[in-house]
């Protein structure tokens, strides 16, 4: 297939050297190897490890989020990986366990690209404070972005290795080092085998080397990451170095203990709760900004909406209210509509002299409506209550 910005020859015709040239070439070694992401457009929510999101207004400028405005969520160090020395292992319930270099991976398997939205399960966590504050990075609604990813399909690599009949889950391990409560471990994720074997152009899990036509930056997982369309960002493992096919979900801390919806820190309950996979139906207002002074009797409101990550769902309706949810104005979609991607929208909303806030809610093609309130969970995941922005009447 042909990549819109980099031709097949760019990426594959020059073989793996194509991607290495992209990595070492005009982008500059120091930029790619820097532990500091190109964070000009981001608001840091945590300095170390670096966690940052864009101001919400940036999100609605483009359907495809530029790398500079794309949130960064890292639990630990940003590893420095030499792509020439890099290898990926495939092991577990496969007929032929293998170790493959980046160059071989790119040369041996057909290139594939997909546009997919990544969102952190903790996006909008700060809004739980209205019920009860939770710990963790206090995200506004900007831990989300949409990008074009290019790489090879996980299904092609797994078929090459030969998946055994008992396989039920696929684990991903990253190279970063995370220290919490005096313990050191690496980041991992896992996905059910059915998702790993999806072959559709929109739904296939990618082993991505590029984001928006450039080699992945260090912050976003250089040289290789998974991208799992429709699943929370935690399953799109950066700095991927090992894939294990198994009969159970990964025992990694980020699958077994966290990224689960539980009301309290109770080890027994956590152990028997399934990991979160799909994201949730959600929408947010990005413009006007919270606290804006509004003149006149109408305001143009812009934002994003996202389905719950289930195959075949699309956003059917987005509504905005300027009177706390008593009356609603439909929004128009202003972006392409594609599975597992957000949509951007715009609404021209009449104001009243008493308008104190703007509120949005989305409905999907199955009839599911975004709930007014989000149930509390002690880790602060998947906040998807109606998004409200306080405004002042000038
Ligand atoms: N992969 C590794 N190795 N380490 C991490 O800390 N964070 C995960 C995921 N992959 C993480 C990771 C989480 S929680 C999210 S939301 C996404 O990466 C964020 O991807 P981004 O930083 O490229 O936006």
């Amino acid at each position: 297939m042909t990549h819109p910005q980099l031709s097949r020859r760019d990426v594959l015709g020059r073989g793996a050297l194509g991607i290495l040239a992209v990595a070492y070439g005009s982008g500059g070694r120091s930029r790619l190897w820097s532990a500091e992401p190109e964070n000009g457009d981001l608001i840091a929510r945590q300095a170390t490890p670096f966690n940052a999101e864009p101001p919400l207004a940036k999100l609605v400028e483009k359907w495809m989020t530029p790398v500079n405005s794309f949130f960064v969520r890292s639990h630990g160090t940003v590893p420095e990986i030499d792509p020439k020395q890099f290898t990926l292992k495939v092991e577990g319930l496969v007929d032929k366990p293998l170790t493959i270099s980046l160059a071989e991976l790119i040369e041996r398997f057909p290139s594939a690209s997909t546009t997919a939205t990544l969102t952190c399960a903790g996006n909008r966590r700060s809004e739980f404070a209205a019920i009860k504050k939770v710990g963790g990075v206090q995200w506004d609604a900007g831990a989300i972005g949409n990008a074009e990813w290019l790489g090879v399909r996980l299904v092609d690599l797994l078929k090459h290795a030969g998946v055994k009949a008992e396989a039920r889950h696929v684990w991903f391990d990253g190279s970063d080092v995370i220290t919490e409560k005096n313990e050191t471990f690496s980041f991992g994720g896992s996905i059910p085998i059915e998702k790993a074997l999806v072959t559709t152009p929109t739904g296939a899990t990618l082993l991505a080397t590029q984001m928006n036509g450039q080699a992945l930056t260090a912050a976003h997982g250089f040289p290789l990451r998974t991208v799992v369309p429709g699943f929370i960002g935690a399953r799109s493992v950066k700095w991927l170095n090992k894939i294990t096919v198994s009969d159970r979900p990964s025992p990694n801390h980020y699958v077994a203990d966290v990224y689960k919806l539980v009301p309290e820190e109770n080890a027994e309950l956590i152990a028997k709760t399934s990991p979160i996979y799909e994201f949730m139906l959600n929408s947010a207002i990005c413009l006007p900004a919270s606290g804006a002074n509004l003149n006149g009797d109408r305001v143009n409101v812009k934002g994003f909406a996202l389905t719950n990550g289930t195959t075949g769902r699309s956003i059917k309706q987005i509504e905005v209210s300027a009177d706390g949810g008593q009356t609603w104005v439909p929004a128009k979609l202003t972006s392409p509509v594609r599975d597992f991607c957000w949509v951007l929208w715009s609404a021209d909303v009449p104001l009243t002299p008493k308008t104190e806030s703007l509120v949005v809610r989305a409905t999907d093609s199955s009839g599911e409506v975004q709930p007014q309130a989000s149930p509390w969970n002690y880790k602060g995941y998947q906040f998807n209550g109606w998004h409200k922005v306080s405004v002042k009447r000038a």
Side-chain angles (χ1 to χ4, degrees):
M1 63 173 298
T2 305
H3 187 278
Q5 280 136 333
L6 293 177
S7 69
R8 183 182 169 85
R9 186 181 165 277
D10 283 333
V11 180
L12 294 176
R14 280 185 275 138
L17 290 178
I19 189 76
L20 300 184
V22 173
Y24 284 116
S26 56
R29 183 183 166 93
S30 59
R31 182 166 157 261
L32 281 161
W33 290 105
S34 165
E36 293 299 317
E38 306 70 26
N39 61 346
D41 291 336
L42 300 181
I43 304 164
R45 296 286 176 219
Q46 192 176 15
T48 315
F50 187 73
N51 284 292
E53 65 185 306
L56 299 186
K58 279 271 159 208
L59 289 179
V60 284
E61 284 177 6
K62 291 184 176 145
W63 184 61
M64 211 71 97
T65 315
V67 176
N68 277 357
S69 315
F70 207 99
F71 79 100
V72 175
R73 189 0 172 181
S74 294
H75 290 265
T77 58
V78 173
E80 291 196 356
I81 299 168
D82 178 350
K84 291 179 188 150
Q85 304 298 322
F86 170 87
T87 56
L88 173 69
K89 282 197 170 70
V90 182
E91 52 185 54
L93 295 174
V94 290
D95 300 328
K96 288 179 289 174
L98 57 100
T99 299
I100 190 164
S101 71
L102 188 63
E104 285 171 319
L105 184 75
I106 294 166
E107 267 172 3
R108 183 177 292 217
F109 299 100
S111 74
S113 70
T114 195
T115 304
T117 295
L118 274 194
T119 184
C120 187
N123 197 27
R124 302 184 60 194
R125 176 177 286 135
S126 59
E127 292 174 63
F128 277 113
I131 313 169
K132 188 164 95 180
K133 192 173 173 180
V134 289
V137 179
Q138 294 300 304
W139 298 110
D140 190 6
I144 186 166
N146 190 50
E148 187 179 34
W149 309 93
L150 184 134
V152 304
R153 296 190 313 181
L154 174 63
V155 60
D156 293 332
L157 178 63
L158 291 180
K159 282 195 174 151
H160 175 75
V163 174
K164 291 192 192 282
E166 315 87 88
R168 297 289 175 272
H169 294 266
V170 178
W171 309 352
F172 307 126
D173 282 302
S175 307
D176 42 344
V177 177
I178 298 155
T179 307
E180 259 181 36
K181 296 181 188 155
N182 295 328
E183 270 189 76
T184 298
F185 38 88
S186 63
F187 188 90
S190 75
I191 61 173
I193 190 76
E194 302 76 39
K195 184 73 179 174
L197 297 179
V198 168
T199 53
T200 58
T202 50
T205 294
L206 282 195
L207 305 176
T209 53
Q210 292 190 25
M211 179 179 182
N212 291 345
Q214 304 165 20
L216 291 170
T217 59
H220 290 294
F222 178 81
L224 190 70
R225 75 176 299 168
T226 57
V227 172
V228 188
F231 278 22
I232 57 164
R235 310 307 174 213
S236 290
V237 174
K238 305 192 274 192
W239 313 294
L240 180 72
N241 63 29
K242 191 165 78 172
I243 293 173
T244 308
V245 179
S246 176
D247 60 355
R248 64 200 68 185
S250 167
N252 185 279
H253 177 59
Y254 294 96
V255 179
D257 310 320
V258 294
Y259 293 109
K260 290 186 169 184
L261 291 174
V262 279
E264 61 191 82
E265 189 163 12
N266 169 329
E268 214 178 305
L269 186 60
I270 293 170
K272 63 181 190 211
T273 301
S274 295
I276 306 171
Y277 294 117
E278 283 93 359
F279 36 65
M280 276 194 184
L281 174 65
N282 217 330
S283 67
I285 293 171
C286 298
L287 271 175
S290 178
N293 257 318
L294 302 182
N295 290 308
D297 56 6
R298 303 187 83 78
V299 62
N300 180 244
V301 185
K302 288 188 168 148
F304 65 79
L306 188 68
T307 68
N308 73 353
T310 306
T311 306
R313 296 255 177 132
S314 57
I315 295 290
K316 196 178 96 193
Q317 179 164 250
I318 296 154
E319 298 162 293
V320 180
S321 174
D323 56 13
Q326 291 174 53
T327 57
W328 296 89
V329 175
K332 280 192 243 150
L333 300 189
T334 57
S335 73
V337 175
R338 191 180 147 116
D339 289 353
F340 311 117
C341 291
W342 69 5
V343 288
L344 300 184
W345 52 265
S346 166
D348 192 25
V349 181
L351 297 168
T352 73
K354 290 193 181 149
T355 297
E356 292 174 346
S357 66
L358 298 164
V359 181
V360 66
R361 69 177 182 197
T363 304
D364 75 13
S365 51
S366 77
E368 186 184 336
V369 185
Q370 196 180 330
Q372 182 166 2
S374 200
W376 196 85
N377 63 91
Y378 94 102
K379 283 285 194 180
Y381 297 132
Q382 305 271 66
F383 191 100
N384 77 334
W386 297 352
H387 188 239
K388 182 165 143 187
V389 165
S390 300
V391 291
K392 297 185 196 105
R393 296 293 274 128

